[in-house]
Amino acid sequence: MTDLSDLPPARPWRGSALWPAAALLASLALWGYAVTHTDVSDLGDFGLVGALHPTFWAGLVLLTAGFWFTLRGPHRHPAWAPAYVVGLLVMERATQAVVYPTPLYAWAWKHDAVVDHLLTAGRLQNADVVGDMAVYDQWPGFFAAQAALVKLLGVDSAAQFMAWWPLVSSLLLLLPLLLIYRTFTEDRRLVWLAVWLFCVANWVGQDYFSPQSVAFALHLGVLAIVLRRYADGGPGAGVPGVGGLGVGGPGGGQRQAVWTVLLTLLVVAIVISHQLTPGMLVASLAVLFFARHYRDKVPLITTAVIFLAWCLTAALPFLSATMPDMLRSIGDIGGNVATGYGATPTGTGAVTTSWVARLLSGSVLLLAVAGALRRPVLRHRALPLLLLALAPLPMFAASSYGSEMIFRVLMFMLPGAAFFAAAALLPQVRTLAAVEAQGTRPEGRRFVWLPLVALLAGTLAFVPSYSGKDRISYFPQAEVDLVRQVVDKAPDGSLVVAADRNYPLAFADYWRVDHYWFLDDARQHVDLIVSEPAATLARDMASVEAPGRAYLLFTQGQFADAEMNGLLTPAQLDRIEKSVAASPLFERVAGNSAGSAYALKSAKEAPEPKEAPEAKEAGR
């Protein structure tokens, strides 16, 4: 007996709830104290890591230790493991929402702008307008749902709740993860340890207010249905020890039709909301089918047909414009995994947190390999999970996905990898069974403490991996107010220029105000701006026609991003701002502690700028 699903039931709970409850409540109390005594007004290179009150770390250590000993205890009650996991998600995903007065991430603010457009205009961009925002016109599912949620809640915009979205989207993952893992084992220790490892290894930040966050939950929901309902004879058909709850038997055809309808609805929601997730889902279902573990063609064909139909209809304008670049990236694995210019961590904090994240991911993947090798019976029974962990790897040869493919592949690998990593941390079944029967510890102390140390290290490493770059992602209220002031006063047809898009409301009112970031241009043009800032920017901005105006923004978010991602040095960006401030071509129209805004003077107010060289249009 080498598989954890063969464990006998745990002893009945005998009222030993005092210490698990005390540890859980104490850890949450420490967290509550920490978040109310954390000052984020001056974040350093290590982001939130350097600002957190020490009691946060004490609470996280206590929570992790309490979870581990509750999981292994002979009197464990089934409610404690999920309670501790929810506590982990609160400490992981709700901390930022509590300590920061405004939502994080420029991308979340971008998505808020799309929802705002839906609410004000009743539609997205026209389908024939292919530009920086066209992708949201062709995949509007998430934004339409959020617009409906804004109306249902009676709030002004999604910005009023999107700070809490990481916690909400992470909680949404629990049910499909549990269904998937329970398909292959009935051991609650393995299931909940796998969920815990998934939570601490999922640092890539795709849980923010985004289509990906919902599409990933739906992706796992589809896999749960397929694994449990489309196997021959039911969940885990061909997998010993898992009961038959499938679509076969009397009335099986009717039940299959019901599950097919549900699966179709989930697939449609994925396809109309996100570009990459349907491709990942097709790859996962294809691996399961062609590996002959799930011979029902319905899930694979349904997903492929819906995906193809959407690409050839609603998404065709965007795909037609981007297809040449997509075709060129096929097979270029080195280019697809490269970070490229503007995505290179710079400085002690950025480099350190990047390496911590890599070590965390690498450790979980190595544990998964060890778990698969260590448990041959479990490897046989849960082979579909192993296949699902490997299925995303070919996507490296498909596209760079804006230099993010490596992060997306890691995220889609995690459900399967976390399961086998958990198996590597748990002791041998035969030994643990003897412990439960005899109350001894023949496995030795090192088999108790080494996994706990590994679990603590991974849980603590999540914080710098996830929040170590919050100096880039956090925008104080003053920065939000500054950008809002500029956008609100900008006439229709205006242009807002900035170094990069790392500031709040970077896409605000994009349907009437154009936005341009000069660090998106070719490096040659960026060097020209650095050498002759005011004159070059004035020429670039001079094409705006009245009544529109051209504005130039400098905010602390841009300075942090330029410095920590190797875009420009602080001295270079500071020189650009000083040149603009001293130039007679510009006037300062707004400013506060978070930055300044300048407007290009009209031809009547300033000398006419020299003739501009050809500007790169792709960055506009």
Side-chain angles (χ1 to χ4, degrees):
M1 180 169 56
T2 57
D3 184 72
L4 298 177
S5 64
D6 296 322
L7 276 174
R11 292 180 181 179
W13 184 48
R14 296 181 179 177
S16 57
L18 183 58
W19 77 262
L24 178 59
L25 292 176
S27 61
L28 292 177
L30 289 170
W31 171 80
Y33 183 86
V35 296
T36 55
H37 290 77
T38 294
D39 181 10
V40 296
S41 60
D42 187 22
L43 293 178
D45 286 346
F46 287 89
L48 187 60
V49 177
L52 281 169
H53 193 276
T55 53
F56 175 88
W57 304 102
L60 194 56
V61 169
L62 179 59
L63 183 80
T64 307
F67 170 77
W68 174 250
F69 286 108
T70 298
L71 203 66
R72 293 191 70 259
H75 303 295
R76 59 187 181 275
H77 188 275
W80 288 121
Y84 272 88
V85 167
V86 171
L88 173 70
L89 290 178
V90 169
M91 296 184 70
E92 280 187 345
R93 317 285 171 165
T95 297
Q96 293 171 322
V98 176
V99 301
Y100 296 125
T102 60
L104 294 178
Y105 309 119
W107 320 290
W109 287 95
K110 178 180 181 179
H111 297 155
D112 174 55
V114 180
V115 175
D116 184 51
H117 188 203
L118 270 177
L119 291 169
T120 56
R123 59 177 177 81
L124 295 176
Q125 286 181 303
N126 295 329
D128 58 347
V129 178
V130 178
D132 201 29
M133 305 298 285
V135 66
Y136 303 116
D137 180 42
Q138 271 84 76
W139 283 273
F142 171 81
F143 305 103
Q146 295 305 320
L149 183 60
V150 168
K151 290 184 176 181
L152 180 65
L153 296 177
V155 296
D156 294 332
S157 71
Q160 294 182 252
F161 59 77
M162 67 185 186
W164 292 94
W165 197 257
L167 176 61
V168 173
S169 62
S170 297
L171 290 173
L172 289 176
L173 299 177
L174 292 184
L175 178 59
L177 279 175
L178 292 174
L179 291 175
I180 290 172
Y181 293 155
R182 286 179 63 84
T183 303
F184 303 102
T185 181
E186 294 179 349
D187 179 14
R188 290 192 299 271
R189 299 171 312 135
L190 177 57
V191 169
W192 286 107
L193 184 56
V195 171
W196 184 284
L197 289 177
F198 174 87
C199 293
V200 301
N202 188 22
W203 59 267
V204 296
Q206 296 306 313
D207 54 359
Y208 73 103
F209 186 72
S210 66
Q212 175 73 92
S213 63
V214 176
F216 185 56
L218 297 175
H219 167 86
L220 293 181
V222 171
L223 293 181
I225 291 175
V226 171
L227 294 173
R228 295 184 67 84
R229 299 296 174 176
Y230 281 87
D232 298 334
V239 181
V242 182
L245 298 172
V247 296
Q254 184 178 7
R255 289 195 296 272
Q256 185 177 27
V258 172
W259 287 111
T260 300
V261 170
L262 178 58
L263 181 142
T264 301
L265 292 175
L266 294 178
V267 170
V268 168
I270 294 171
V271 168
I272 68 175
S273 298
H274 199 243
Q275 312 85 48
L276 180 64
T277 305
M280 290 286 193
L281 182 58
V282 169
S284 298
L285 296 177
V287 164
L288 292 177
F289 177 76
F290 290 110
R292 303 180 66 81
H293 281 273
Y294 295 85
R295 301 181 182 180
D296 197 318
K297 301 185 178 91
V298 171
L300 177 59
I301 293 177
T302 300
T303 304
V305 168
I306 295 174
F307 184 31
L308 184 61
W310 188 261
C311 291
L312 295 178
T313 54
L316 188 59
F318 177 81
L319 292 176
S320 298
T322 57
M323 190 58 69
D325 290 336
M326 294 172 63
L327 292 176
R328 280 193 294 269
S329 67
I330 294 178
D332 183 14
I333 298 178
N336 291 342
V337 300
T339 55
Y341 165 68
T344 304
T346 305
T348 304
V351 172
T352 301
T353 54
S354 294
W355 275 107
V356 170
R358 294 174 187 176
L359 289 173
L360 174 58
S361 298
S363 300
V364 171
L365 294 178
L366 287 176
L367 279 175
V369 172
L373 294 176
R374 182 187 179 195
R375 302 291 170 83
V377 175
L378 185 63
R379 183 175 69 239
H380 167 71
R381 294 183 173 186
L383 182 59
L385 271 182
L386 197 58
L387 296 174
L388 289 176
L390 299 175
L393 291 176
M395 298 301 289
F396 283 132
S399 172
S400 68
Y401 203 69
S403 299
E404 290 188 5
M405 184 58 76
I406 189 170
F407 304 112
R408 305 302 175 98
V409 167
L410 173 63
M411 183 177 68
F412 281 92
M413 292 177 66
L414 268 182
F419 182 82
F420 286 96
L425 290 181
L426 289 170
Q428 290 290 338
V429 172
R430 191 186 303 275
T431 302
L432 186 58
V435 169
E436 291 191 342
Q438 302 173 13
T440 59
R441 292 188 178 182
E443 76 272 15
R445 291 182 178 273
R446 66 188 182 95
F447 289 107
V448 178
W449 294 105
L450 287 180
L452 173 58
V453 171
L455 194 63
L456 280 170
T459 304
L460 295 176
F462 170 86
V463 182
S465 302
Y466 187 74
S467 303
K469 296 183 179 180
D470 279 5
R471 183 184 165 209
I472 296 176
S473 304
Y474 167 55
F475 313 113
Q477 187 62 51
E479 189 168 357
V480 177
D481 294 339
L482 173 66
V483 181
R484 174 53 68 191
Q485 182 180 352
V486 172
V487 174
D488 286 347
K489 71 167 57 174
D492 290 356
S494 293
L495 172 67
V496 177
V497 179
D500 63 31
R501 63 194 72 195
N502 190 63
Y503 57 94
L505 302 163
F507 293 82
D509 292 7
Y510 65 88
W511 54 94
R512 67 173 192 89
V513 175
D514 196 11
H515 298 265
Y516 162 54
W517 307 279
F518 61 77
L519 286 178
D520 285 354
D521 284 350
R523 186 65 197 184
Q524 182 180 4
H525 188 65
V526 174
D527 291 339
L528 182 60
I529 292 175
V530 173
S531 62
E532 301 178 11
T536 305
L537 288 169
R539 289 195 298 266
D540 290 346
M541 299 163 63
S543 60
V544 178
E545 298 180 358
R549 297 199 68 184
Y551 300 90
L552 182 60
L553 270 174
F554 294 95
T555 65
Q556 71 175 52
Q558 297 173 59
F559 274 81
D561 189 36
E563 177 186 352
M564 296 185 69
N565 279 327
L567 297 163
L568 290 176
T569 65
Q572 288 174 319
L573 199 53
D574 187 58
R575 180 176 182 274
I576 294 174
E577 182 177 5
K578 288 181 178 179
S579 174
V580 169
S583 172
L585 301 174
F586 292 89
E587 61 175 329
R588 191 172 188 264
V589 294
N592 57 29
S593 60
S596 301
Y598 301 85
L600 182 67
K601 294 180 180 179
S602 65
K604 296 179 180 180
E605 299 173 303
E608 185 175 348
K610 298 178 182 180
E611 184 177 352
E614 281 191 317
K616 179 185 174 186
E617 295 297 327
R620 296 179 182 258

